[in-house]
C-alpha cells in the first residue's frame, strides 16, 4: 500500500487503500443517529454523566463526515437548554451541577447548530452570562476550577479559554471593556506545566501526556502566545516528542511505554498541526490504523482494532482522519475540534 505522506491536508491517496480500509461514512452516520434510541440499554444510563459530551462528540463527527443535519436541530436545542443552570453554566445532563467542561461542550454544540438565538429567549444576554460563569472559576494563580468544588486541571483552563473565545469574551476580543479574566496569569500557569522534554503535564512538574499537550498548546494558541512562547526550537522539541508517539502499528500512544489508542490521533496530531509539525507523522500508516479501528458493519470506531466502538473514539478517529486530509471529510480546526468553516466565522 502506498499513500503519499506530506505536510498539511490532502495527501491521502484513498484509491490505493484496500476496500476493507475505506471510511464507512454512512455506517458511522447511522451509528451516531442510533445512540439516542438505545434508552433501554444499561450503558445509556451509566453514561448519563457524559451526555452533553456525547452529543458534542457525535455532532462534531457528523459535521466532519459531511452530515451536519443528521440529528434533529430542535431536539438538540431543547436538550442543551434543559442542561442550563441558574448560574449560567451547563451540566452534563438535566439536573446535573454546572461544570466548565459541559459548558464548553454546550457552547460548541450551540455554535455548530446556530442555537444562541433560541437560548437568548430563555436567558437574555446569554453569551455574557455564560462568559461570567466561566470567568468566575478562575483562581488567583491563573488556573480554572471545573466547578464550585474547586478541582483544578489544565483541561478546565483550556475549556475556559476556548469557550470565552467562541463567545467573543476574551480580553483581546473586547479591548474597550475591563477584562473578564486574567489571561497572562492563565498562560503563565500553562508555561509552568512544560517539561524538559518539551511536552506538557496536567500541572507543574507532572508527567508529560499528549492529552495535556493538546490542552496547553490549544490554550496558548487561543491566547495568541503559542508562536512567541515556543519559537522554532520549542516547536521542534515538542514536535519530536509528539512524533515519537507513533508506534510500528501506525497508531499513536499518549506517552512513552503506553498502548496506542485511536483518540491520540486527535490529541497528538492536533497539537502537531498547531505547531506546524504535522508532516512529522507517517500519515499512511496512521490512516490505515484509524480505519482498522472502524466497525465496518455497524459503524463507529474503537480505541484499537477489534474492540467495542463508542462515540468518543469515533469523533477523534474521524477528526484525526480530517487532519490527515482523508478525502471527502470536512476540514477540522485543530484548536476547537469543530469544522473550520464554522470557527472561521468567529473573530478570534
Ligand atoms: C474540545 C476536544 C475538546 C476537548 C475539551 C476534555 C478536554 C477539553 C480535553 C481532554 C484532554 C485529555 C487529557 C485527553 C486524554 C484523554 C485520555 C485518553 C486519557 C487517558 O489517560 P490514561 O493515563 O491513558 O488513562 P494512557 O494512554 O496514558 O495509558
Amino acid at each position: 500500500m502506498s499513500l503519499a505522506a506530506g505536510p498539511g491536508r490532502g495527501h491521502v491517496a484513498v484509491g490505493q487503500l484496500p476496500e476493507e480500509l475505506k471510511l464507512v461514512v454512512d455506517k458511522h452516520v447511522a451509528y451516531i443517529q442510533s445512540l439516542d434510541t438505545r434508552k433501554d440499554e444499561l450503558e445509556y444510563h451509566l453514561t448519563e454523566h457524559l451526555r452533553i459530551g456525547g452529543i458534542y462528540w457525535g455532532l462534531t463527527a457528523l459535521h466532519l463526515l459531511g452530515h451536519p443535519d443528521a440529528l434533529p436541530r430542535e431536539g438538540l436545542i431543547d436538550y442543551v437548554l434543559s442542561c442550563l443552570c441558574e448560574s449560567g453554566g451547563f451540566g452534563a445532563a438535566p439536573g446535573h451541577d454546572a461544570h466548565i467542561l459541559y459548558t464548553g461542550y454546550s457552547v460548541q454544540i450551540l455554535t455548530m447548530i446556530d442555537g444562541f438565538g433560541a437560548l437568548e429567549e430563555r436567558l437574555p444576554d446569554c453569551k455574557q452570562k455564560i462568559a461570567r460563569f466561566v470567568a468566575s472559576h478562575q483562581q488567583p494563580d491563573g488556573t480554572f476550577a471545573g466547578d464550585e468544588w474547586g478541582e483544578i486541571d489544565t483541561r478546565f483552563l483550556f475549556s475556559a479559554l476556548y469557550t470565552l473565545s467562541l463567545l467573543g469574551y476574551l480580553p483581546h476580543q473586547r479591548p474597550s471593556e475591563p477584562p473578564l479574566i486574567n489571561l497572562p496569569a492563565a498562560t503563565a500557569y500553562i508555561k509552568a506545566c512544560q517539561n524538559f522534554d518539551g511536552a506538557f503535564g496536567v500541572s507543574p512538574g507532572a508527567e508529560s501526556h499528549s492529552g495535556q499537550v493538546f490542552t496547553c498548546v490549544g490554550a496558548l494558541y487561543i491566547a495568541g502566545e503559542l508562536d512567541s512562547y515556543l519559537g522554532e526550537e520549542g516547536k521542534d522539541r515538542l514536535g519530536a516528542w509528539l512524533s515519537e508517539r507513533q508506534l510500528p502499528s501506525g497508531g499513536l500512544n499518549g506517552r512513552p511505554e503506553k498502548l496506542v489508542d485511536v483518540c491520540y490521533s486527535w490529541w497528538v496530531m492536533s497539537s502537531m498541526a498547531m505547531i506546524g509539525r504535522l508532516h512529522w507523522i507517517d500519515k499512511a500508516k496512521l490512516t490505515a490504523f484509524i480505519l482498522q479501528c472502524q466497525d465496518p458493519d455497524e459503524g463507529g470506531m474503537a480505541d484499537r482494532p477489534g474492540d467495542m466502538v463508542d462515540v468518543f473514539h469515533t469523533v477523534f478517529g474521524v477528526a484525526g482522519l480530517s487532519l490527515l486530509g482523508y478525502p471527502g471529510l470536512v476540514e477540522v480546526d485543530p484548536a476547537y475540534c469543530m469544522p473550520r468553516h464554522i470557527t472561521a466565522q468567529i473573530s478570534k
Side-chain angles (χ1 to χ4, degrees), residues 73-74 77-78 81 84 90 110 114-127 129-130:
R73 182 174 178 276
E74 291 309 314
I77 290 179
D78 287 349
L81 297 198
L84 177 64
F90 294 80
L110 290 169
D114 196 14
F116 278 104
L119 181 55
E120 189 75 32
E121 286 169 22
R122 276 269 303 270
L123 187 69
D125 294 328
C126 58
K127 288 190 176 179
K129 283 183 182 148
I130 300 169

Side-chain angles (χ1 to χ4, degrees), residues 56 101 105 108 155 158-159 162 209 211-212 214-215 254-255 258-259 261 263-264 266-267 312 316 335-337:
Y56 158 66
L101 279 184
Y105 294 145
Q108 286 173 295
R155 285 178 308 158
F158 168 66
S159 268
Y162 84 71
H209 191 290
Q212 303 304 338
F214 166 75
T215 64
R255 48 188 163 145
K258 290 289 191 159
L259 291 178
D261 183 319
C263 74
Y264 294 120
W266 175 257
W267 311 118
F312 173 87
F316 294 122
Y336 296 83
C337 196

